[in-house]
Amino acid sequence: MRYVFFITIFALLQLFSLGTALSLQWWLQPWEIGNLPTIVWIVIFVITNGLLLLSVKRVFANSYRWISGWMLVMHFVLLTALLTSILYGAYWLLASFMGDGINVSAAIDEDLRALALAIFLGLFAYALYSAYVPVVRKVTITIDKVLSKTLRVAVASDLHLGKLFGSGAIDRLQHLLMQNNADILLMPGDIMDDNTDAFVDHKMAVNLKMLCDSVPYGVYATLGNHDLYGHEQPISEALKNAGVKLLNDDVVSIEHEGTPIWLVGRFDNHKHQRVATTALLAHVDIEQPIVLLDHRPSDIEEHSQLPIDLQVSGHTHNGQIFPANFIVSAINRLGYGYEAIGKGHFVVSSGYGFWGIPFRLGSRSEIWLINLVGNKDNQKID
C-alpha cells in the first residue's frame, strides 16, 4: 500500500510539473530568448524531483513542507491557467455573439498575461487569508434530553501549534471565545504539530494557560494522530500543565446549571489499543446529555446508533486545498459540517489551524459555536 501511495504521488507531481511548464512557457512567450523554454522545463522538473527526493530521504527537518509548498505553487499555476482560459473563452463567446471578430492583438496578449499574474497572486493572498483569519460557524442543536439552560459549546480542532501557528493564534482563539460567551471549549485532536519544540521555544504555554483560565467550564481535549507520532508524553504533559483537561479514552461529568453533562474522549485510531466507544459509555448515565470528542469522523455510522447526543470531530481539514474537499466528502459519511444522523448530532470541523503549509483554498480556519439545547419547553437561550 505504501508503494502504491508513493507511485501515485510521484505520478501526480510529474503531471503537475508538465502542466506548470506548459503554462509558464505560454506566459513567458513574449520574452522567449534562446533556450529559455528548455531551461524552464528543466528547472521545474529538477525542483520537483529534487524536493521529492529530499523529502523521502528526510534530509532536513520538515522537508515535507518544501515539497508541499512547491506542489501548491504548481497547483495555483494550473488553476490560474484554467481560470484564464475560462475567462478568455467567455470573452470569445461574447465577442462572437455580438458579431465582432476575434483579433488576438498584442494588447490582448499582454492583458491576458497581466490577468494571469493577478489571478495567481490573488489565489495566494486569499489562501493565506483563509488560513489565518478564522470564521465562527454557529449552530443550535436540540437534543432529546433535559438541559436546564443552553450550553454554549465552542469547538476548535486541528490547531497544529508550531512555528507557523502559535501564540497569536491562541490569543485570537481566546478573544473569539470571550466575544461569543462560550461556556466550554472542546479540542478534538491534533493540538500540536507533531511535537512540542515550537510550543516550548515560543513559550505558548503562557497563552494557552490564559485561554484555559478564561473559559468558564475549562478546556477539554483528546489527542489526534499528529499528537501521537512519538511525542505523546511531552505533548500530554505540556497540555495538562497549561490547564487543558485531557480525555484520552476517558469520561468526566461536568455540571451545567444543575444538569450533569458527560464528556467522553477517545484516542485517535492511530493508537491501535484504544478503548471502544461502547466500553466508555458503560461508565456514563445514558439518560443524561453525552458529548463525544473523537478526532476522526470515521466511526460516525456506528456512533449514530449509540446514545451519544453530540459528537465533535476534525482531522479532515475539509481537504484544506481545493479540490481535496471533494475527496474528503466522497470518502466520509460526513467529511465536514453539521448533520443529524441516527440518534445523534455530528459536527466535523475543518480546523482552526492548518497542516504543513499556511494556505487554505476551498476551506477556512474556523471554530464552531454550538448552542446545545434540551427538550424542555421552557428552555432559555440568552
Side-chain angles (χ1 to χ4, degrees):
M1 191 66 186
R2 182 180 298 178
Y3 292 110
V4 172
F5 175 77
F6 178 79
I7 291 169
T8 302
I9 294 298
F10 178 79
L12 280 174
L13 284 170
Q14 307 317 305
L15 286 173
F16 271 49
S17 298
L18 174 65
T20 300
L22 288 170
S23 300
L24 283 180
Q25 186 175 349
W26 167 79
W27 196 83
L28 292 169
Q29 201 169 30
W31 304 281
E32 274 189 16
I33 302 171
N35 294 323
L36 182 60
T38 304
I39 293 171
V40 168
W41 279 74
I42 292 172
V43 168
I44 288 172
F45 277 90
V46 166
I47 292 174
T48 296
N49 293 290
L51 288 175
L52 178 60
L53 182 62
L54 290 174
S55 181
V56 170
K57 294 292 186 180
R58 298 182 181 180
V59 174
F60 46 84
N62 296 325
S63 54
Y64 67 88
R65 278 204 174 101
W66 291 93
I67 187 65
S68 299
W70 175 241
M71 195 169 183
L72 181 78
V73 170
M74 295 193 293
H75 181 48
F76 280 5
V77 167
L78 295 178
L79 286 178
T80 297
L82 177 62
L83 290 171
T84 304
S85 300
I86 290 172
L87 290 172
Y88 178 70
Y91 162 75
W92 186 88
L93 287 173
L94 183 62
S96 300
F97 179 75
M98 296 180 68
D100 297 334
I102 301 298
N103 179 23
V104 185
S105 64
I108 292 177
D109 240 11
E110 289 179 8
D111 289 344
L112 275 176
R113 283 165 174 78
L115 175 63
L117 180 60
I119 291 173
F120 181 73
L121 295 176
L123 284 171
F124 267 98
Y126 179 70
L128 191 65
Y129 173 85
S130 297
Y132 279 109
V133 182
V135 294
V136 180
R137 313 285 188 195
K138 297 183 179 180
V139 62
T140 297
I141 293 174
T142 302
I143 63 174
D144 194 27
K145 290 177 185 176
V146 173
L147 263 175
S148 57
K149 189 178 180 182
T150 299
L151 178 69
R152 292 186 179 85
V153 180
V155 180
S157 74
D158 302 276
L159 278 72
H160 289 275
L161 295 174
K163 291 181 179 179
L164 301 178
F165 200 79
S167 300
I170 297 172
D171 293 343
R172 196 156 52 245
L173 177 57
Q174 180 184 352
H175 173 73
L176 288 172
L177 297 184
M178 294 178 69
Q179 190 179 52
N180 288 278
N181 298 314
D183 295 315
I184 188 171
L185 171 62
L186 305 181
M187 298 195 299
D190 280 2
I191 300 156
M192 301 285 184
D193 203 21
D194 296 345
N195 57 58
T196 59
D197 294 350
F199 186 83
V200 173
D201 292 345
H202 296 278
K203 298 178 172 59
M204 297 181 206
V206 176
N207 307 80
L208 187 56
K209 180 72 166 61
M210 290 173 60
L211 168 64
C212 292
D213 292 343
S214 69
V215 184
Y217 293 152
V219 178
Y220 291 83
T222 54
L223 298 184
N225 52 303
H226 282 273
D227 303 312
L228 298 172
Y229 291 154
H231 296 87
E232 176 188 340
Q233 185 174 349
I235 288 175
S236 297
E237 289 176 356
L239 292 173
K240 288 177 182 176
N241 291 338
V244 176
K245 303 174 181 68
L246 284 181
L247 295 174
N248 294 323
D249 285 344
D250 202 1
V251 304
V252 68
S253 176
I254 64 170
E255 190 171 296
H256 173 60
E257 299 291 334
T259 303
I261 297 171
W262 289 94
L263 303 179
V264 180
R266 301 185 76 196
F267 271 116
D268 178 73
N269 67 10
H270 182 75
K271 201 175 188 74
H272 299 299
Q273 62 271 46
R274 69 172 177 168
V275 178
T277 308
T278 49
L280 292 172
L281 291 177
H283 300 284
V284 310
D285 185 343
I286 62 172
E287 299 300 319
Q288 296 168 347
I290 300 171
V291 178
L292 172 68
L293 291 77
D294 197 359
H295 179 57
R296 304 191 198 211
S298 50
D299 292 333
I300 282 180
E301 291 278 16
E302 175 191 338
H303 292 167
S304 68
Q305 303 306 311
L306 299 176
I308 297 167
D309 300 293
L310 170 64
Q311 175 179 323
V312 295
S313 298
H315 182 66
T316 68
H317 292 235
N318 195 21
Q320 189 160 323
I321 301 292
F322 169 87
N325 46 331
F326 291 106
I327 299 173
V328 164
S329 179
I331 64 176
N332 290 281
R333 171 61 181 83
L334 178 63
Y336 171 71
Y338 160 71
E339 188 176 345
I341 305 173
K343 298 179 179 179
H345 301 264
F346 299 84
V347 171
V348 181
S349 174
S350 68
Y352 181 61
F354 49 80
W355 179 80
I357 50 178
F359 296 97
R360 282 179 173 270
L361 187 66
S363 68
R364 281 293 298 271
S365 166
E366 68 180 22
I367 68 168
W368 282 75
L369 185 71
I370 303 167
N371 285 317
L372 198 62
V373 181
N375 64 357
K376 291 181 65 175
D377 293 334
N378 62 346
Q379 202 70 233
K380 295 188 292 182
I381 302 179
D382 297 336

